Amino acid sequence: MPKRTRFTTWRPLATAATAALLATLVTPAAAHAAPRGSEPVYSYADAVREAVWVDTGLDGDRDGRTDRVAVDIVRPREPARQGRKVPVIMDASPYYSCCGRGNESQKKTYDANGDVVRMPLYYDNYFVPRGYAVVGVDLAGTSRSDGCVDVGGRSDVRSAKAVVDWLNGRGVAYTTRTGTTRADAGWTNGRTGMIGKSWDGTIANGVAATGVRGLETIVPISAISSWYDYYFQQGAPLYDSGPDWLSNYVNSPDARAKCGAVQQKLADGAPRSGDWTPLWSERDYVKAARKVRASVFLVHGMQDLNVRMKHVGQWWDALARHGVERKIWLSQTGHVDPFDFRRATWVETLHRWFDHELMGYDNGIDREPMADIERAPDRWTTSRTWPPSGTRAATLRPGQGAQDGVGTLGLRRGHGTASFTDDPALSETDWAAAIDRATPEKAGFVTRPLVRDLRLSGSSEVTVTATPSTSAAHLSAVLVDIGPATIRDYADSGEGITTLTDRTCWGASTTGDSACFKETKAKTADVDYTIVSRGWADLGTHASARKGAPLTPGKRYTITLDLAATDHVVPRGHRLALIIAGTDRGLIDPPQADRPRLTLDLPRTSARVPFTGGAAAFARATSGAAPATPDDALLDGVREPRTTQRVPEGSR
């Protein structure tokens, strides 16, 4: 059964031995009061550092023996001496050797015995003194593990799930990679929380979707919820490579020599046609949300153009349908860890979350707002629930405007047609910059200036009825806030942050593992418009989102594009725009056709957008305002989105 909301029935996990220890750690005046959270009472310098190899039961590299994955452990020494067991914070990653973790690309380092000296990131420095074990798992096929990387498939997920099973007494581990001496996990109570950014967080999603017992919570940061939606959206290719390339990118040298068959299976199972195959079904965690027992604390950048916000909306909605306990942070950044955009608050919040979920402290985090949302650089608001209560979809309709090529957007059904010609050299930034001008590569529709703020929250969809001139065509739909603002510059190389030289420290350090990390600050841009949400599709998938077909030039087709989830307030005086166009340069690849021309049937084209207050709120916000006067000047936005990053990596 899926895990239901359990905060209301939470019971502390403290044993009599724990209570006795705590009594010795507080002053006499405070001894009568239960602590509100774990404290750094254990020695990090004396922590146990060890490695084990967990048997996955698979033989991905086909060498005749089951694959073992390397598990590096840092845990406080004192609890075991006192006969007490500790919970686990676990980060399973393909990046510990090839690429590094965090903003400073830290890799694991080892001593002469093969025990970990530096565990990347701050988790061990901070949480081990507070009574947690921190575990870093090398996914199968990476670093010191056997097997092959299969990019979110059975091997990836089982690499980590097998470790959760071992921590809970259901698996087998060994003290060496090839030896027969078994390793015991008697030092832990099995209560495990998984955390990680990008691919690491994706594995947390995948393991949670197995329903494994003992996994109490996951904290997926910038994580994938369905691997198809990493490479395609409704048949439109988002990247010019597939999972076979990515597998080779992170496989260890030993795995590259053994894993040709896995590479070929990935290539064959992920055709560049964009059709859905069994390979994608295996890597779709959304469909298994009903199995999730763990709570979920989800963190994502609303301008993440690597792991895009569609992954948030579909995962969040599926978890909600199955009653999974959850919390969310949404920032203005791109693919950035919260440690680097809201450090002090993040460390405190994560500490309280793990204390509540893994140690059972009644610290009140369950009674706080569900969502934290960044409205402007370093300015955050909260929502009791997300999307907020009273949010309902309104159907917005494009219409012809007073000026040819500059349409309207409102609640009344439009009339006529609008046409554009796909120009693969242009992107959403070009379209938005020319929103008040008729340009051949887009169809733009804009509301009047708002007379009050209007909040969008959740996932939108745009239904397009279009007649193509060619046998193949791609579509993009973009919602844009037209008006001046200062935002995080997500198109910059830092994706919204600037790394400084000063360091701050978060936990205890040793000679080989410092708890001190470079500080960051917001990298901002002053803009005339802000992209709010995006969606793409191959028009050939009009009959089925899972399989494309050639188009008949001159024939009319209707398709609905899913737009990414967001939470954005369009301020009073700004306008909301809908843009429909072809190839969004850098974000989807062009179709196999020579610049198709598409004609939109406006009465049969619409957008369903979730507003707080629904259609009535939109009507109030757009009533009584004077029409906007189109400006011949180009508007300023961020630069064209970065297109060089083709892997869901987390080195930032």
Side-chain angles (χ1 to χ4, degrees):
M1 292 294 291
K3 177 180 177 181
R4 303 294 173 178
T5 301
R6 56 186 170 86
F7 278 147
T8 55
T9 58
W10 188 269
R11 290 181 174 84
L13 301 175
T15 63
T18 304
L21 172 68
L22 291 171
T24 68
L25 298 176
V26 295
T27 63
H32 67 280
R36 295 284 290 172
S38 60
E39 298 182 356
V41 297
Y42 302 119
S43 170
Y44 181 70
D46 293 335
V48 175
R49 295 172 180 269
E50 59 188 334
V52 303
W53 277 260
V54 173
D55 195 322
T56 68
L58 303 175
D59 184 13
D61 53 19
R62 300 185 180 182
D63 64 356
R65 63 183 185 87
T66 52
D67 300 329
R68 298 179 183 181
V69 292
V71 180
D72 293 303
I73 302 165
V74 184
R75 58 184 174 89
R77 188 176 300 274
E78 297 90 340
R81 289 174 174 171
Q82 298 157 355
R84 293 183 296 104
K85 301 176 185 292
V86 298
V88 173
I89 297 170
M90 175 172 140
D91 187 345
S93 176
Y95 295 127
Y96 283 127
S97 177
C98 74
C99 318
R101 310 305 301 120
N103 195 30
E104 299 176 46
S105 301
Q106 291 185 329
K107 298 179 181 180
K108 287 180 180 176
T109 63
Y110 298 93
D111 63 18
N113 296 321
D115 294 328
V116 68
V117 172
R118 181 177 70 186
M119 189 81 82
L121 307 175
Y122 79 98
Y123 303 139
D124 57 322
N125 308 85
Y126 187 86
F127 284 105
V128 169
R130 288 169 167 79
Y132 293 85
V134 172
V135 169
V137 181
D138 297 328
L139 291 187
T142 70
S143 193
R144 303 197 296 174
S145 293
D146 302 328
C148 303
V149 176
D150 69 351
V151 189
R154 187 181 182 210
S155 178
D156 270 17
V157 172
R158 192 152 168 177
S159 294
K161 178 182 179 294
V163 179
V164 177
D165 282 332
W166 174 68
L167 292 168
N168 283 272
R170 298 187 298 269
V172 177
Y174 300 88
T175 57
T176 63
R177 188 170 184 172
T178 58
T180 58
T181 303
R182 292 196 175 189
D184 178 58
W187 47 266
T188 177
N189 58 22
R191 297 181 64 86
T192 303
M194 291 185 68
I195 188 171
K197 181 195 166 195
S198 203
W199 199 332
D200 305 17
T202 301
I203 297 304
N205 284 341
V207 174
T210 70
V212 63
R213 294 182 181 274
L215 182 62
E216 300 298 324
T217 190
I218 64 171
V219 185
I221 301 165
S222 304
I224 293 166
S225 59
S226 171
W227 279 89
Y228 176 88
D229 296 306
Y230 183 73
Y231 285 104
F232 300 95
Q233 184 168 342
Q234 294 175 243
L238 308 183
Y239 293 117
D240 58 5
S241 63
D244 54 317
W245 180 91
L246 185 54
S247 174
N248 188 64
Y249 181 80
V250 300
N251 265 330
S252 67
D254 184 51
R256 290 191 188 103
K258 295 180 178 181
C259 296
V262 173
Q263 300 280 103
Q264 191 59 51
K265 185 177 180 180
L266 290 172
D268 294 343
R272 299 307 296 160
S273 65
D275 289 347
W276 188 281
T277 65
L279 180 143
W280 301 123
S281 294
E282 181 182 326
R283 292 157 176 79
D284 178 13
Y285 313 133
V286 177
K287 74 178 188 307
R290 60 182 174 78
K291 298 180 182 179
V292 175
R293 300 173 182 273
S295 62
V296 179
F297 184 178
L298 189 155
V299 182
H300 218 97
M302 290 185 286
Q303 297 292 0
D304 190 339
L305 297 176
N306 181 349
V307 180
R308 308 178 194 194
M309 278 288 291
K310 187 175 193 296
H311 295 276
V312 173
Q314 61 193 12
W315 186 228
W316 184 265
D317 291 346
L319 295 172
R321 285 194 297 272
H322 295 286
V324 175
E325 172 197 327
R326 62 206 185 283
K327 182 176 178 65
I328 190 168
W329 274 21
L330 296 173
S331 75
Q332 279 197 349
T333 66
H335 201 64
V336 180
D337 193 288
F339 188 72
D340 295 314
F341 63 69
R342 202 187 184 195
R343 183 168 298 181
T345 304
W346 170 245
V347 173
E348 177 190 11
T349 304
L350 184 64
H351 178 195
R352 295 175 64 233
W353 180 263
F354 280 145
D355 272 3
H356 188 277
E357 297 296 290
L358 299 180
M359 286 194 175
Y361 283 103
D362 182 12
N363 56 22
I365 198 167
D366 53 313
R367 298 181 290 277
E368 294 174 0
M370 176 182 284
D372 280 32
I373 301 139
E374 190 176 26
R375 287 279 172 249
D378 294 323
R379 184 169 64 82
W380 291 77
T381 61
T382 63
S383 282
R384 174 59 54 185
T385 59
W386 194 83
S389 177
T391 299
R392 296 180 295 277
T395 300
L396 307 186
R397 302 186 181 276
Q400 291 180 326
Q403 178 186 353
D404 186 38
V406 182
T408 62
L409 187 64
L411 296 173
R412 294 184 178 181
R413 186 181 298 273
H415 63 277
T417 63
S419 299
F420 61 88
T421 300
D422 192 335
D423 186 346
L426 300 178
S427 73
E428 60 186 30
T429 58
D430 300 298
W431 310 332
I435 190 63
D436 290 322
R437 302 168 61 191
T439 57
E441 78 286 346
K442 73 170 191 319
F445 309 94
V446 190
T447 68
R448 295 181 171 197
L450 304 186
V451 296
R452 61 181 68 193
D453 293 354
L454 185 64
R455 180 179 179 181
L456 297 74
S457 188
S459 302
S460 303
E461 62 182 29
V462 174
T463 298
V464 173
T465 299
T467 303
S469 64
T470 55
S471 61
H474 290 167
L475 287 169
S476 299
V478 182
L479 292 173
V480 189
D481 175 349
I482 307 297
T486 298
I487 65 172
R488 285 189 184 260
D489 189 359
Y490 61 87
D492 180 73
S493 60
E495 300 189 58
I497 65 166
T498 296
T499 302
L500 307 175
T501 57
D502 294 341
R503 293 179 179 271
T504 55
C505 304
W506 302 87
S509 297
T510 62
T511 302
D513 194 335
S514 173
C516 305
F517 297 84
K518 291 180 179 178
E519 273 290 330
T520 67
K521 68 175 182 179
K523 175 69 167 63
T524 64
D526 294 326
V527 297
D528 295 324
Y529 65 84
T530 304
I531 306 295
V532 173
S533 183
R534 314 159 174 87
W536 308 272
D538 183 331
L539 186 56
T541 62
H542 61 91
S544 169
R546 297 195 168 197
K547 187 173 180 59
L551 304 170
T552 300
K555 182 178 178 180
R556 187 171 62 193
Y557 299 93
T558 298
I559 188 171
T560 297
L561 289 73
D562 295 328
L563 270 62
T566 190
D567 195 299
H568 181 86
V569 174
V570 184
R572 178 179 181 274
H574 287 206
R575 295 173 291 156
L576 178 63
L578 168 65
I579 300 173
I580 301 173
T583 301
D584 193 346
R585 178 183 174 181
L587 296 181
I588 63 171
D589 289 345
Q592 299 298 311
D594 184 21
R595 297 192 63 179
R597 181 171 176 81
L598 293 101
T599 299
L600 304 180
D601 184 338
L602 296 184
R604 294 176 175 83
T605 297
S606 62
R608 284 182 56 79
V609 182
F611 295 114
T612 302
F618 179 86
R620 288 192 298 269
T622 55
S623 64
T629 302
D631 189 345
D632 289 335
L634 292 175
L635 304 179
D636 290 327
V638 298
R639 294 181 297 282
E640 184 175 311
R642 298 170 66 237
T643 61
T644 55
Q645 193 170 18
R646 297 293 192 181
V647 296
E649 67 90 26
S651 63
R652 177 169 300 102

